[in-house]
Amino acid sequence: MTHTPLDVVLMIIAIGAYVVSALALLVYFFSRDEWLRHLGIPLAIAGCVAQFAQLIARFEITGVWPLLNLYGSLSLFAAVAVLIFIIFAFRYDLWFAGGFVLGLSALFLAYATTWYEGTMPAVPSLQSYWAKIHVPLVVSSYAAFMVSFVISVIFLIKYYFERSLAKEAILATAGGAALAQAPNAAASVRMDTPNIAAAAAAGNAGAQWLNTIPSLAQLDVLIYRIIAVGLPLLTLGIITGAMWAHESWGHYWQWDPKETAALFSWIVYAIYMHLHTRNAWRGMRTAWVSVIGFLSIMFCYFGVNLWISGLHSYKM
Amino acid sequence: MQAVREFYDDFIRTFGNVLFAVLLFIVWGLLTLVGVVIAQGKDPSTYFDSYAAPLARLILRLDFNNIYHTPYYVGIIGLILLSLAVCTFKRVIPARLPPLRAVAIDKIPLHASFDVAGDPETIRERIAAFFRSRGWNVRKREFGGVEWTFADKHNWARRGVLVAHAGFVIIAAGTTIYWAKGFSGDEAIITGQTVSVPHTQTSIKLDGFSYKITPIITKSGMVYQPVDYVSRVTATGSDGIARTAIIRVNHPLNVDGVLYYQSSYGFAMRFRVTHDGVRVPALTNRDYLTGDAIDLPGTQRSVAVAQFVPTVDRLNGQPSADPRINNPAVFLQIFDNGQASGAGLVPMKSSIDVGGGWRIVPEQYLLVSGIQYTHDPGVALVGIGAFVLLAGLMISFYLLPARVFVRIDRAPGGSRIGLAATTVKGYDIFERQFNDLAAALGTKLIGVTK
């Protein structure tokens, strides 16, 4: 009789907890039944704990630092994303977004299992203490950006819903003749959502649940706060990566595809931070930059690892 | 003179504009992305193999195959540094100490007002004490006969952007020092060979090289995982003293400030070359690296050492994927007048007839260690700059410089307090703290919030 290794058991527990928690919080997002929130929160915490325990167990069992392949790094990515979300959710009551964050985490975790290759010793360049510093920093920054991405998408949904309601309101009051002017009028929508509030009062279901989530201004501040966690982590990750590269390859910067893709992501979030200093650009535009930023992170994480060969091509 | 002044003003206005900086960032990002997607530094034929011919030509014409070293890529970084410098002097430094001035309280989105009992002088002291007890820096001024109290928090953190910009400049300086004074290169050293390293007074002798590869069965099949590469060397530096040392991946050797890295490995070959059964010493007593050719004297023929094969499958005679040495052979290619005329996989100690009475026998293989060397006098500065940049980001992100304006006017039965707040990051980010602050102040003064 063969025993299932502890790390595999913990991984199954984590995925199961995330899936059930995601479903509960997703239904909570629409129904606002409190019991679903009370079900989702402990399951999210349990899944996160199980994941960190899984990483520790895997390190204990194999003796190899567990973050040196996609299986391990994706596992940490999902765990940190959930951890960051839980911290922010408790502080800013973000549970309405839990279904999306946990759903994405469960998806990434399930994808991680497809890269499970058993126990492999590390290649010489990865046998460094820097692996224990650089990889967690970079992966944690990716995780923070995933949470900011989810909030950005919710921001944009609310923003465009308000804009479409504003257009409808203009058409209803001024008739078809106002059609040509509607886009300009709708463009004036920035942080206030009076049309969503009015539609919610009139019984519009979509408006009612959008009306219960934080205002656009609050969502914008949340996105900023989460990116303010991710960007220093990414910066520190790039710095420690450069220090490791200097020790391993002789140059702190080699213009390797992974390095340059990370630089590209850093530039996107630097653009976000610069635009966020301007009142006129804060809100919808910065939310789009946040979405583009996360897409660039995904390209850096998966695209470069899987499709572009370079010094960071450690697929397994 | 007027034209110069106008040009200067336009230049400062443009380069001091945050949106212009963002535009430069976008261009920098897109050029960087081009370099990620298009393989860099490859042979031109690679691009014609990978892309349609017009696109490949465009890539080569625009230098997209070496984009990070093109004048326009370096130029865009230069423009960013220029924009950063102008922004720093025109926007960041003046903003670090904003002047104390009277404001229209009601026009600021974060505002509140109270009516409290007590004369303005007493209330002013109590308000100042309130803010001081919470760590705010309090200053008082009079404008137009009205007394104002200004409370600042984390005012010093307004320098965060300045620190981040300084970090960038330091990194740029460190990189420039490497371009000006640094050097790097690599040497393939055959076991037993001594090489003099260019730019230095150092010689390195490779006493021995070994590697360890572990075969592992995964669900994708057999994987030969490299685990260790070790070069045992004798290094003689500028002091003339020979020292033995070991170079491993992640463990470079430092000789006179130049770092030596384990970067690759390979094999060299020794052949016995005979013509009509007679040994040819000039071709025999040599080490051949992969890519080297044996030019046969008196003919237009040459034999290229195409590849060393560590393991030949004993069953089918074909090269195995196993990189460990077990039944080695060498793949030779024969050229006549520069045209390939034959090839063969030749096991060690076997011979191959290359025509005209010439025979070649692979007699011995030797391990070769690829050693990379670097001297970068700017690296410390780059490291310092990176951490200064990080410190600037942390200060900018995690500390919120805020100013509370307090105006106290005499009112019937007491005083009227007007309270407003501004921050460097807008109003929404401070709304909750401001409301808490106003509520606490209202409670403290036992007033009524309007």
Side-chain angles (χ1 to χ4, degrees):
Chain A
M1 180 179 163
T2 57
H3 293 283
T4 308
L6 178 62
D7 63 314
V8 176
V9 173
L10 289 166
M11 181 67 119
I12 293 166
I13 290 172
I15 293 176
Y18 286 165
V19 169
V20 179
S21 175
L23 288 172
L25 291 172
L26 205 59
V27 178
Y28 164 75
F29 182 65
F30 294 104
S31 70
R32 296 304 157 115
D33 286 335
E34 280 299 310
W35 72 271
L36 287 167
R37 191 168 77 114
H38 295 312
L39 174 68
I41 293 171
L43 280 172
I45 295 168
C48 190
V49 171
Q51 261 211 282
F52 280 108
Q54 180 264 335
L55 287 166
I56 294 166
R58 186 157 174 75
F59 184 40
E60 283 296 314
I61 292 166
T62 64
V64 179
W65 186 242
L67 309 179
L68 301 179
N69 50 28
L70 258 185
Y71 173 72
S73 74
L74 270 172
S75 184
L76 181 72
F77 170 68
V80 177
V82 174
L83 179 66
I84 289 172
F85 172 73
I86 289 171
I87 292 168
F88 272 85
F90 272 117
R91 185 156 167 72
Y92 299 105
D93 197 18
L94 277 188
W95 295 108
F96 65 88
F100 304 104
V101 174
L102 285 149
L104 276 176
S105 298
L107 269 178
F108 281 118
L109 208 47
Y111 178 61
T113 60
T114 65
W115 286 96
Y116 182 75
E117 288 281 2
T119 305
M120 301 266 285
V123 296
S125 59
L126 294 181
Q127 294 169 23
S128 168
Y129 60 94
W130 284 112
K132 295 171 183 168
I133 302 168
H134 168 66
V135 182
L137 284 170
V138 170
V139 170
S140 298
S141 75
Y142 294 175
F145 293 136
M146 188 184 94
V147 180
S148 70
F149 164 77
V150 170
I151 306 297
S152 301
V153 170
I154 292 172
F155 177 100
L156 290 170
I157 290 170
K158 188 164 184 174
Y159 174 85
Y160 284 109
F161 197 78
E162 169 66 20
R163 204 164 87 156
S164 71
L165 288 177
K167 280 184 189 172
E168 284 174 21
I170 289 166
L171 286 173
T173 52
L179 188 62
Q181 293 172 1
N184 287 335
S188 67
V189 173
R190 295 191 55 77
M191 293 293 196
D192 299 325
T193 52
N195 292 292
I196 286 179
N204 181 318
Q208 277 173 342
W209 62 254
L210 279 177
N211 204 33
T212 56
I213 66 175
S215 67
L216 289 180
Q218 287 168 324
L219 288 174
D220 176 69
V221 169
L222 277 170
I223 296 165
Y224 173 84
R225 286 189 194 282
I226 301 167
I227 290 177
V229 172
L231 188 53
L233 284 171
L234 180 64
T235 309
L236 198 54
I238 291 173
I239 293 170
T240 54
M243 292 165 85
W244 186 3
H246 183 255
E247 194 171 286
S248 183
W249 300 324
H251 288 288
Y252 50 81
W253 195 262
Q254 306 241 63
W255 298 108
D256 175 60
K258 188 77 167 181
E259 291 172 350
T260 45
L263 174 65
F264 175 69
S265 298
W266 190 92
I267 292 169
V268 173
Y269 285 105
I271 289 171
Y272 172 92
M273 283 298 172
H274 280 81
L275 288 179
H276 205 266
T277 62
R278 307 287 292 229
N279 282 328
W281 285 73
R282 210 176 284 153
M284 180 269 284
R285 289 167 177 142
T286 48
W288 272 115
V289 176
S290 166
V291 169
I292 293 167
F294 183 65
L295 295 179
S296 78
I297 288 288
M298 288 294 95
F299 173 68
C300 177
Y301 198 178
F302 298 110
V304 176
N305 273 37
L306 303 179
W307 302 318
I308 299 173
S309 66
L311 295 167
H312 284 79
S313 298
Y314 313 116
K315 294 175 187 174
M316 304 213 296
Chain B
M1 201 62 199
Q2 180 67 19
V4 173
R5 182 73 210 175
E6 282 175 9
F7 174 79
Y8 175 78
D9 290 344
D10 286 345
F11 170 80
I12 295 296
R13 196 166 35 251
T14 305
F15 278 78
N17 189 324
V18 174
L19 293 183
F20 181 70
V22 167
L23 180 71
L24 292 175
F25 268 129
I26 291 170
V27 176
W28 185 27
L30 290 175
L31 292 178
T32 303
L33 192 59
V34 167
V36 176
V37 175
I38 297 173
Q40 296 293 289
K42 301 289 182 193
D43 190 75
S45 62
T46 309
Y47 302 99
F48 283 96
D49 292 342
S50 308
Y51 304 99
L55 189 56
R57 272 195 293 275
L58 190 69
I59 288 169
L60 295 171
R61 194 163 296 157
L62 295 175
D63 282 338
F64 281 177
N65 58 326
N66 190 26
I67 194 166
Y68 302 122
H69 300 95
T70 55
Y72 54 83
Y73 191 87
V74 177
I76 206 79
I77 295 174
L79 286 176
I80 287 172
L81 286 169
L82 196 58
S83 163
L84 183 148
V86 174
C87 269
T88 300
F89 287 107
K90 281 290 165 186
R91 302 175 71 95
V92 178
I93 290 176
R96 78 194 194 282
L97 293 172
L100 302 179
R101 59 189 175 84
V103 295
I105 293 278
D106 293 347
K107 295 282 191 289
I108 295 175
L110 294 181
H111 69 268
S113 62
F114 309 92
D115 281 340
V116 295
D119 62 279
E121 286 71 31
T122 310
I123 295 299
R124 187 171 298 120
E125 289 309 314
R126 291 179 67 188
I127 288 173
F130 169 85
F131 280 106
R132 281 199 191 99
S133 69
R134 282 170 159 73
W136 292 71
N137 178 34
V138 178
R139 285 174 290 178
K140 296 171 195 169
R141 295 286 186 280
E142 186 185 311
F143 298 107
V146 179
E147 285 276 356
W148 286 82
T149 300
F150 301 91
D152 284 291
K153 196 156 201 179
H154 301 313
N155 204 18
W156 67 273
R158 291 175 192 269
R159 294 166 177 83
V161 177
L162 180 64
V163 173
H165 283 187
F168 252 121
V169 174
I170 296 170
I171 290 172
T175 311
T176 308
I177 288 175
Y178 172 67
W179 281 349
K181 303 249 179 192
F183 58 83
S184 65
D186 49 59
E187 293 283 346
I189 311 175
I190 301 167
T191 305
Q193 187 187 17
T194 302
V195 297
S196 295
V197 182
H199 311 290
T200 71
Q201 297 171 301
T202 302
S203 65
I204 303 270
K205 177 172 180 271
L206 182 66
D207 298 321
F209 175 79
S210 58
Y211 63 93
K212 184 181 173 189
I213 288 172
T214 305
I216 296 160
I217 296 172
T218 68
K219 69 176 185 185
S220 322
M222 179 70 84
V223 171
Y224 295 95
Q225 185 85 335
V227 176
D228 204 4
Y229 304 119
V230 186
S231 289
R232 291 178 303 284
V233 299
T234 301
T236 308
S238 57
D239 59 3
I241 299 169
R243 296 179 179 86
T244 57
I246 284 178
I247 305 176
R248 275 194 155 93
V249 178
N250 286 316
H251 299 280
L253 171 67
N254 187 339
V255 182
D256 298 334
V258 179
L259 292 169
Y260 296 85
Y261 297 84
Q262 182 65 59
S263 65
S264 61
Y265 79 99
F267 299 90
M269 292 299 303
R270 282 184 187 161
F271 298 97
R272 188 173 76 244
V273 182
T274 61
H275 185 229
D276 294 333
V278 180
R279 190 182 178 99
V280 182
L283 300 177
T284 298
N285 299 326
R286 282 183 56 187
D287 297 327
Y288 294 89
L289 293 167
T290 303
D292 287 349
I294 306 167
D295 294 320
L296 303 177
T299 72
Q300 297 295 314
R301 191 167 294 175
S302 67
V303 179
V305 182
Q307 190 189 354
F308 177 78
V309 178
T311 300
V312 174
D313 192 316
R314 290 180 197 278
L315 295 176
N316 59 22
Q318 295 299 308
S320 156
D322 191 345
R324 295 168 301 170
I325 296 173
N326 181 17
N327 193 28
V330 62
F331 192 71
L332 298 176
Q333 280 185 310
I334 304 162
F335 292 88
D336 266 320
N337 285 321
Q339 301 292 316
S341 61
L345 185 64
V346 189
M348 299 298 292
K349 307 290 184 191
S350 305
S351 71
I352 182 171
D353 185 350
V354 293
W358 290 90
R359 296 189 80 82
I360 294 176
V361 179
E363 280 208 317
Q364 189 186 358
Y365 67 84
L366 295 162
L367 282 161
V368 177
S369 178
I371 301 287
Q372 187 181 323
Y373 58 92
T374 303
H375 174 60
D376 185 352
V379 70
L381 210 52
V382 171
I384 291 167
F387 280 99
V388 170
L389 167 66
L390 185 67
L393 292 182
M394 303 287 265
I395 293 167
S396 303
F397 294 162
Y398 298 127
L399 297 171
L400 180 63
R403 170 168 290 176
V404 177
F405 302 81
V406 187
R407 174 182 173 144
I408 305 166
D409 293 300
R410 197 170 294 281
S415 304
R416 163 158 291 190
I417 301 164
L419 199 66
T422 59
T423 79
V424 295
K425 296 175 188 170
Y427 302 105
D428 300 316
I429 201 163
F430 195 63
E431 187 177 5
R432 199 160 81 169
Q433 289 100 310
F434 179 78
N435 290 338
D436 292 346
L437 203 61
L441 184 63
T443 307
K444 171 99 175 170
L445 301 175
I446 322 170
V448 181
T449 308
K450 279 198 168 178

